[in-house]
Amino acid sequence: KNQVEQSPQSLIILEGKNCTLQCNYTVSPFSNLRWYKQDTGRGPVSLTIMTFSENTKSNGRYTATLDADTKQSSLHITASQLSDSASYICVPLLRDQGGKLIFGQGTELSVKP
Amino acid sequence: GAVVSQHPSRVICKSGTSVKIECRSLDFQATTMFWYRQFPKQSLMLMATSNEGSKATYEQGVEKDKFLINHASLTLSTLTVTSAHPEDSSFYICSATDTGTNTEAFFGQGTRLTVV
C-alpha cells in the first residue's frame, strides 16, 4: 500500500525562525512530488513540484528537497511569518494516475509572535 | 496563474434537501476534475474523479447515488449532495488539472457544507 508519512504532526515556532518539515513516502512508480500549503478553511495551494530527477527547488522562502533513492523529501521554511501558519502537505504523484492526488495528514505549523 | 472557482463557499441546508456545488476552471480547460472531502483535523479524502463527457469514477466507499457528479463541459463540474444528512457536513474541495500542460493541479476555495 502506498503511504506518506509526515513529521512532525504539528510544530510551533516563533516568528522569524526557520523550520524543516519531513516527508517519507513509499509510492511507486514515482512521477513527481508536490508540497501544498492549506490554510484553515481554504483549498490547498501548490508550493513546489519536483520530478524524481530534481534534488531541490525553491519558491521564495520555501525550499523543498527530494531524495528519490531514499524516498524522502523536506520542506524548509526560512524566516517564518505569522501567515505561514497552516497545514503543509506532501503529495507524491503516482505515474499514470491522470492527475489524481492522494493526500497525507500533513504537518500543522503554527507561527507565534 | 490558473484559477479554479468553487461556489458556494458556505451553505447551510436542512436534512433531506439537496445541495449543488459548482467547480469552474476560469482560464483553462480541464477534462478531469477531482472532488475531495475533508473533515476537521483530517486530510483531504478523494471522493471521485469527474470526467468530461462521461461518468464519474468513485472511490471505494463513496455512494455514487448520494454524491452526483456532472462534468458537462471542459470548464465546469458539479457535485450534488442528495438527501443531505448531518453526517454529510464537511468541507468539500474540487481540483482541476490544465489539460494543456497536465502538470499542475489547481484547487478551488472549498465549500463548507452544514446540514442541520
Side-chain angles (χ1 to χ4, degrees):
Chain A
K1 181 179 179 181
N2 294 316
Q3 289 189 344
V4 179
E5 293 185 358
Q6 288 188 241
S7 61
Q9 285 190 328
S10 62
L11 180 63
I12 300 174
I13 61 174
L14 293 177
E15 184 179 15
K17 297 297 185 182
N18 304 334
C19 67
T20 300
L21 314 180
Q22 302 291 342
C23 172
N24 295 336
Y25 60 92
T26 59
V27 296
S28 179
F30 175 79
S31 176
N32 59 57
L33 185 139
R34 303 145 183 248
W35 280 93
Y36 285 91
K37 176 188 178 187
Q38 185 181 20
D39 293 308
T40 301
R42 305 294 297 273
V45 174
S46 178
L47 296 176
T48 63
I49 300 176
M50 290 186 292
T51 65
F52 66 89
S53 61
E54 295 180 290
N55 299 120
T56 184
K57 180 167 280 189
S58 292
N59 177 8
R61 295 180 297 103
Y62 301 104
T63 299
T65 66
L66 175 64
D67 186 332
D69 292 330
T70 61
K71 294 186 176 179
Q72 295 179 324
S73 178
S74 68
L75 180 70
H76 185 76
I77 304 175
T78 305
S80 61
Q81 301 176 357
L82 299 179
S83 58
D84 291 334
S85 295
S87 180
Y88 291 83
I89 312 166
C90 163
V91 187
L93 179 66
L94 288 168
R95 201 178 300 163
D96 303 325
Q97 286 292 301
K100 184 166 75 171
L101 303 175
I102 307 298
F103 286 78
Q105 291 280 60
T107 293
E108 193 72 31
L109 175 65
S110 180
V111 181
K112 302 293 187 183
Chain B
V3 177
V4 174
S5 175
Q6 193 172 333
H7 178 82
S9 58
R10 292 175 183 271
V11 59
I12 300 174
C13 70
K14 292 183 178 180
S15 288
T17 61
S18 296
V19 174
K20 180 184 285 188
I21 303 170
E22 293 187 347
C23 180
R24 293 180 184 272
S25 55
L26 297 185
D27 53 2
F28 65 95
Q29 294 183 334
T31 54
T32 304
M33 293 186 179
F34 301 92
W35 287 96
Y36 297 83
R37 179 167 54 183
Q38 186 176 34
F39 292 105
K41 301 296 184 182
Q42 294 188 21
S43 61
L44 277 76
M45 184 189 75
L46 180 65
M47 298 176 66
T49 302
S50 172
N51 304 298
E52 187 268 334
S54 65
K55 292 183 179 180
T57 304
Y58 290 82
E59 295 299 303
Q60 189 173 8
V62 179
E63 300 175 57
K64 62 180 181 180
D65 294 328
K66 181 169 184 62
F67 299 100
L68 300 179
I69 291 173
N70 183 280
H71 194 155
S73 76
L74 288 172
T75 59
L76 173 64
S77 174
T78 61
L79 169 67
T80 300
V81 182
T82 63
S83 187
H85 291 282
E87 57 265 31
D88 297 325
S89 298
S90 186
F91 191 56
Y92 293 85
I93 309 174
C94 70
S95 76
T97 300
D98 187 332
T99 302
T101 64
N102 199 31
T103 57
E104 177 64 89
F106 299 96
F107 287 83
Q109 308 95 314
T111 297
R112 173 71 61 192
L113 170 63
T114 303
V115 184
V116 297

